[in-house]
Amino acid sequence: KAHLYHNLGLAFSDAGRAEDAIDMSKSAVRIFRALRRSSGIASEHLAAALLALAEHEALAGNTAAAIRTSQKAVLESARLRSPDGRRLRGLALVNLGTVLFAAGRFQPALEAFRKGYGLLGQLEHRSPFEMSQWAQAAIGLAGVHLQLGQAELAFPLADQAWRTLSQLVAHDS
């Protein structure tokens, strides 16, 4: 049932129905959280559901909620001792950096992007999605450096992101 709610949240988000996406994702999170409590085992599904919920909240313009939920996704994914845990933590950190940047909280955004960039860069086999998120982390880092007046640090990161995204586009062609 939790997977159904999670997938419905993703579908509603794709359809531009942010509030419905948030409702479905909250239901998924509640169920996955209850399953984790009963088993005592950290859940990749809970971390992924929290990450999706944070993205829905950000798209709905609820930055404060998106920050809180992204922080929860980072904490939940940190409990996982698997490559998927590192992947999810990297994705959650990039998402956290994005919403912190949108809120004008540049120093915490810098730390989140830096950590997410590092974790995603360490993955042995990155999917195109993970590569695009790694590039997003580089773009986020570049943006924060520009906001902090550190253009010399921003431009190499932006160039790296451009090369990575160009590779992805060429691969898809």
Side-chain angles (χ1 to χ4, degrees), residues 77-106:
S77 59
R79 290 184 175 119
L80 302 169
R81 302 289 174 231
S82 67
D84 265 353
R86 284 189 299 281
R87 178 184 64 81
L88 285 167
R89 186 164 185 239
L91 296 173
L93 283 161
V94 171
N95 195 62
L96 177 59
T98 301
V99 293
L100 287 168
F101 185 89
R105 296 175 55 191
F106 301 123

Side-chain angles (χ1 to χ4, degrees), residues 27-156:
S27 294
V29 165
R30 273 193 296 278
I31 294 169
F32 284 132
R33 200 172 267 144
L35 290 170
R36 187 194 54 175
R37 273 194 298 273
S38 68
S39 70
I41 298 172
S43 167
E44 293 170 7
H45 302 298
L46 175 56
L50 285 164
L51 180 57
L53 175 57
E55 290 173 359
H56 304 324
E57 290 167 337
L59 289 172
N62 193 342
T63 304
I67 290 170
R68 285 190 303 275
T69 305
S70 292
Q71 290 168 331
K72 291 175 187 175
V74 169
L75 291 173
E76 186 63 30
S77 59
R79 290 184 175 119
L80 302 169
R81 302 289 174 231
S82 67
D84 265 353
R86 284 189 299 281
R87 178 184 64 81
L88 285 167
R89 186 164 185 239
L91 296 173
L93 283 161
V94 171
N95 195 62
L96 177 59
T98 301
V99 293
L100 287 168
F101 185 89
R105 296 175 55 191
F106 301 123
Q107 206 57 48
L110 179 67
E111 290 308 309
F113 280 131
R114 188 176 286 147
K115 288 176 185 175
Y117 177 82
L119 284 170
L120 293 173
Q122 292 172 5
L123 296 178
E124 288 183 34
H125 303 287
R126 287 184 285 174
S127 69
F129 173 73
E130 291 158 349
M131 287 179 68
S132 73
Q133 292 299 293
W134 184 71
Q136 181 181 337
I139 291 167
L141 277 170
V144 172
H145 284 305
L146 285 174
Q147 288 293 324
L148 298 175
Q150 303 165 333
E152 70 282 358
L153 297 174
F155 292 122

